[in-house]
Amino acid sequence: MRIAKKDIERLTYVENALSKRDDHLAKVVHNVLHELNPEFVYVIQEEGNWDYESTHHTEVYASFGDALNSYKNLTRVARSDMHEWISDDQISESEQIDEEAGTASFEIHEDVNFTRLHDIITITKKEVI
């Protein structure tokens, strides 16, 4: 959904006017504004190599929760794909999720030949300017 800058400015005006009369309604409008015009977005980047064929994928979300759901789905698929290519004892993986910072990283690869088979998935928090 696209929101015009003019609409954001109108809602900001309403929020400011309400803050002088009704603090609760001002907070409601503030939350709506934050959802429509987030201060941060969460970028998922996936970079891989499958039998020397490069892959790249990018997604952008307004909330960390939505980004994390997609990230978990992508990591599940990467694990499944890697197990189709090689056996468990040839796979190395690592993962870190920091919900407080709004970041996550996952890496899975072939132990002996990283360049042949690997997949790296990250979530980074970016400020909207």
Side-chain angles (χ1 to χ4, degrees):
M1 172 170 73
R2 292 183 56 95
I3 303 295
K5 184 177 179 182
K6 192 174 190 178
D7 294 330
I8 298 292
E9 290 169 353
R10 287 178 182 154
L11 282 172
T12 303
Y13 173 80
V14 169
E15 176 189 11
N16 290 335
L18 283 172
S19 67
K20 296 172 186 167
R21 298 185 188 274
D22 189 337
D23 193 45
H24 175 71
L25 285 177
K27 287 179 183 177
V28 170
V29 172
H30 175 79
N31 289 338
V32 169
L33 268 171
H34 184 69
E35 288 178 18
L36 295 176
N37 192 29
E39 296 176 37
F40 298 95
V41 293
Y42 300 88
V43 180
I44 297 177
Q45 292 184 315
E46 181 178 20
E47 179 272 321
N49 230 347
W50 299 94
D51 203 22
Y52 303 109
E53 293 289 326
S54 294
T55 60
H56 300 278
H57 178 77
T58 303
E59 298 174 9
V60 179
Y61 293 90
S63 76
F64 181 71
D66 290 342
L68 189 59
N69 286 338
S70 180
Y71 165 90
K72 287 180 179 180
N73 185 50
L74 290 170
T75 60
R76 183 184 51 74
V77 170
R79 282 184 180 109
S80 175
D81 289 349
M82 189 64 70
H83 288 284
E84 288 180 18
W85 282 89
I86 56 178
S87 63
D88 288 354
D89 62 334
Q90 295 174 305
I91 296 173
S92 185
E93 72 175 72
S94 65
E95 182 173 37
Q96 293 181 327
I97 298 173
D98 186 346
E99 292 187 25
E100 207 170 287
T103 62
S105 65
F106 171 79
E107 180 178 301
I108 189 167
H109 60 88
E110 182 179 16
D111 273 337
V112 296
N113 194 353
F114 180 86
T115 57
R116 178 177 167 253
L117 292 172
H118 73 267
D119 202 28
I120 301 168
I121 304 165
T122 59
I123 299 176
T124 53
K125 182 178 180 179
K126 302 284 185 176
E127 184 176 11
V128 176
I129 52 174

